[in-house]
Amino acid sequence: MSRVFLIWAVAHSVKEVQSEDSVLLFVIAWTITEIIRYSLYTFSLLNHLPYIIKGARYTLFIVLYPMGVTGELLTIYAALTFVPQAGLYSISLPNKYNFSFDCHAFLILIMISYIPLFPQLHFHMIHQRRKVLSHTEEHKKFE
């Protein structure tokens, strides 16, 4: 969901952030991650998974996750300046639904949500790395 949100709700909707270096940062991180992920899936389906692909999947995230998150957060931060001026996706009272939504505040909440969520996802991948790569090393010992 974060990818759809960042591409559509932030980068597409706030034209001023499209030229930010932070967009390039998260796009590069996402691209490398997906190439590795889908290579792993493809080779796994073929029952021929090279160790370099498995190693890349469970090692490069150590750099790519923080790189992507940094790009995402910097892009959202850059958008914060332009969202209130344009009133982007904001609904103010009074209206017939008696409902209001402040996109600026929502973006701030999204940024704050990275504090508990990013470490949880990163440590999950570290645990997966330990589990998958240590199993591979043990398996190699017996061959």
Side-chain angles (χ1 to χ4, degrees), residues 45-66:
L45 287 172
L46 298 172
N47 291 321
H48 180 70
L49 179 59
Y51 184 77
I52 193 161
I53 300 289
K54 185 188 283 188
R57 169 73 174 118
Y58 292 102
T59 302
L60 290 180
F61 80 89
I62 295 168
V63 174
L64 293 174
Y65 270 25

Side-chain angles (χ1 to χ4, degrees), residues 48-106:
H48 180 70
L49 179 59
Y51 184 77
I52 193 161
I53 300 289
K54 185 188 283 188
R57 169 73 174 118
Y58 292 102
T59 302
L60 290 180
F61 80 89
I62 295 168
V63 174
L64 293 174
Y65 270 25
M67 182 176 146
V69 166
T70 300
E72 292 170 17
L73 288 172
L74 289 173
T75 301
I76 296 170
Y77 183 75
L80 288 176
T81 306
F82 304 102
V83 168
Q85 296 169 356
L88 188 68
Y89 303 120
S90 296
I91 302 168
S92 56
L93 290 170
N95 60 51
K96 67 180 181 179
Y97 300 109
N98 200 25
F99 172 80
S100 69
F101 177 77
D102 183 6
C103 187
H104 185 264
F106 181 72

